[in-house]
Amino acid sequence: MSRQEEEEENAAELKIGDEFLKAKCLMNCEVSLILEHKYEQLQQMSEDPMNQVSQVFEKSQQYVKRFSRYKNPDAVRQVREILSRYQLAEFELCVLGNLCPETVEEAIAMVPSIKNRSRQLDDEAIEKMLNDLSLIKKFE
Amino acid sequence: MFFHIILERNMQLHPRHFGRDLRDKLVAKLMKDVEGTCSGRHGFVVAITGIESVGKGLIRDGTGFVTFPVKYQCVVFRPFKGEILEAVVTMVNKMGFFAEAGPVQIFVSNHLIPDDMEFQSGDVPNYTTSDGSVKIQKESEVRLKIIGTRIDATEIFCIGTIKDDFLGVISDPGATS
């Protein structure tokens, strides 16, 4: 069963397994805030927090810092708020929030499943969504 | 992709830790045991963010150790086939290049780099278009698509491509100099 699932795994069609499909996804900017908070907690507890964290933590922290489109916590919240108006799956929402596509064509290339599913976001709706996103970036 | 999920683990604790700060001891041990590990199913465990519940302990026959079922929230990183993400190039050679997205390594073979990009050896090995306008070298940021994953018990390794629409270099460290 699980082997079969693995073979069929395809994020472009939103086949990521039931467990992850239902789970909460995090955009890079959200992960950055969470890890930052955790790192501050560690700093209070020990003098050398870098020694306390795993390599996985360190690499993830560097990565999300580098690839966060939005830095300020209010903007991060707004991005999720705006994207969640469009009946996206968690995974789709986070891919869009991470990659910030500029055109409808690009958005569909990044998240093909937004066109495949029955709810069918039309191009106009996608365009509006991308516009709203770029506005947040502009005013951040 | 990063996820916030709830996982469960049976923690064994030595009786010497039983006392007022039993829970703290359990949590500290959990973090030490779990953070930084990788499993094929859930990916890399980046950080524990909270404890959901600590169940009733069960004394193990013969040892005196007690097993507690602990449910915890954590941030994990799990790459998927078909996922598009951004990564940093870490090494370039004539076979292709390696890139990193957080804890995961991704290899892009030269067959999956656009045909108009040629390998250039030298101090800073790179792939460059014939007109020199686009260059991939160490520290370049690329957007790639994962087309395959190899999952071991303790590691996940990915194969990626940049030979598709809207993929490729996003920023090139040499561009500003």
Side-chain angles (χ1 to χ4, degrees):
Chain A
M1 177 72 184
S2 75
R3 176 158 301 177
Q4 207 174 3
E5 268 173 27
E6 248 167 54
E7 274 173 31
E8 283 179 6
E9 181 180 298
N10 184 359
E13 296 169 19
L14 215 54
K15 289 181 183 159
I16 57 173
D18 227 20
E19 193 177 1
F20 282 108
L21 199 54
K22 286 178 190 150
K24 182 174 165 77
C25 282
L26 296 169
M27 292 181 278
N28 292 342
C29 48
E30 292 172 317
V31 177
S32 182
L33 295 177
I34 293 174
L35 297 188
E36 193 75 15
H37 178 70
K38 171 124 187 171
Y39 191 75
E40 277 165 17
Q41 281 182 327
L42 284 173
Q43 249 171 343
Q44 282 165 12
M45 289 195 295
S46 85
E47 295 203 335
D48 186 15
M50 225 44 220
N51 244 336
Q52 302 272 315
V53 301
S54 65
Q55 208 195 5
V56 171
F57 185 97
E58 205 183 318
K59 287 196 162 179
S60 302
Q61 196 180 25
Q62 284 167 2
Y63 175 72
V64 293
K65 263 192 193 159
R66 188 162 183 168
F67 292 104
S68 283
R69 298 297 175 121
Y70 308 91
K71 309 276 180 214
N72 123 20
D74 285 330
V76 173
R77 217 169 305 129
Q78 273 183 47
V79 170
R80 183 170 279 276
E81 209 252 322
I82 283 180
L83 285 172
S84 46
R85 291 178 201 156
Y86 292 87
Q87 295 160 291
L88 299 163
E90 280 278 318
F91 188 85
E92 297 169 328
L93 185 153
C94 290
V95 173
L96 290 171
N98 281 345
L99 301 178
C100 291
E102 282 167 6
T103 62
V104 173
E105 199 190 355
E106 187 184 0
I108 295 169
M110 297 300 103
V111 191
S113 54
I114 56 176
K115 272 287 171 190
N116 289 348
R117 289 174 57 193
S118 50
R119 71 194 131 81
Q120 284 266 351
L121 275 177
D122 58 28
D123 288 3
E124 221 167 288
I126 298 174
E127 179 120 42
K128 171 141 186 3
M129 173 172 76
L130 300 180
N131 268 336
D132 291 351
L133 275 186
S134 66
L135 277 180
I136 301 180
K137 183 78 204 156
K138 215 175 279 174
F139 290 110
E140 192 186 16
Chain B
M1 179 65 68
F2 289 95
F3 293 85
H4 210 176
I5 58 173
I6 295 172
L7 294 178
E8 190 168 5
R9 185 180 173 89
N10 286 323
M11 297 294 302
Q12 276 200 41
L13 207 63
H14 191 277
R16 71 164 172 270
H17 298 304
F18 299 169
R20 264 198 318 202
D21 48 1
L22 184 145
R23 195 186 154 97
D24 292 345
K25 284 275 176 0
L26 260 185
V27 173
K29 188 171 190 303
L30 180 73
M31 289 190 176
K32 202 162 153 261
D33 287 1
V34 173
E35 287 186 346
T37 61
C38 172
S39 77
R41 182 153 165 224
H42 295 112
F44 297 87
V45 179
V46 179
I48 293 175
T49 55
I51 304 295
E52 281 278 296
S53 67
V54 178
K56 281 198 173 129
L58 202 72
I59 302 176
R60 311 257 304 177
D61 279 350
T63 64
F65 273 89
V66 170
T67 308
F68 295 92
V70 182
K71 275 193 183 161
Y72 56 98
Q73 303 153 358
C74 58
V75 176
V76 298
F77 182 83
R78 167 76 151 84
F80 290 95
K81 211 175 182 176
E83 183 181 347
I84 295 172
L85 43 72
E86 291 165 330
V88 183
V89 175
T90 53
M91 189 176 74
V92 179
N93 62 33
K94 66 175 194 297
M95 310 290 288
F97 66 84
F98 285 90
E100 253 176 27
V104 76
Q105 280 232 47
I106 303 152
F107 177 67
V108 178
S109 135
N110 58 16
H111 301 291
L112 297 170
I113 295 171
D115 297 330
D116 63 340
M117 296 192 88
E118 288 263 348
F119 177 67
Q120 320 273 339
S121 57
D123 278 354
V124 187
N126 60 78
Y127 283 86
T128 310
T129 51
S130 51
D131 62 356
S133 63
V134 183
K135 189 185 266 188
I136 296 173
Q137 61 190 45
K138 192 171 189 273
E139 285 296 309
S140 293
E141 294 174 359
V142 293
R143 185 194 269 176
L144 52 81
K145 180 156 88 183
I146 295 172
I147 55 167
T149 54
R150 192 193 69 205
I151 297 178
D152 291 347
T154 59
E155 218 187 358
I156 299 180
F157 185 79
C158 297
I159 301 293
T161 179
I162 56 166
K163 214 177 184 177
D164 216 336
D165 293 346
F166 302 105
L167 301 182
V169 179
I170 356 172
S171 97
D172 159 9
T176 48
S177 64

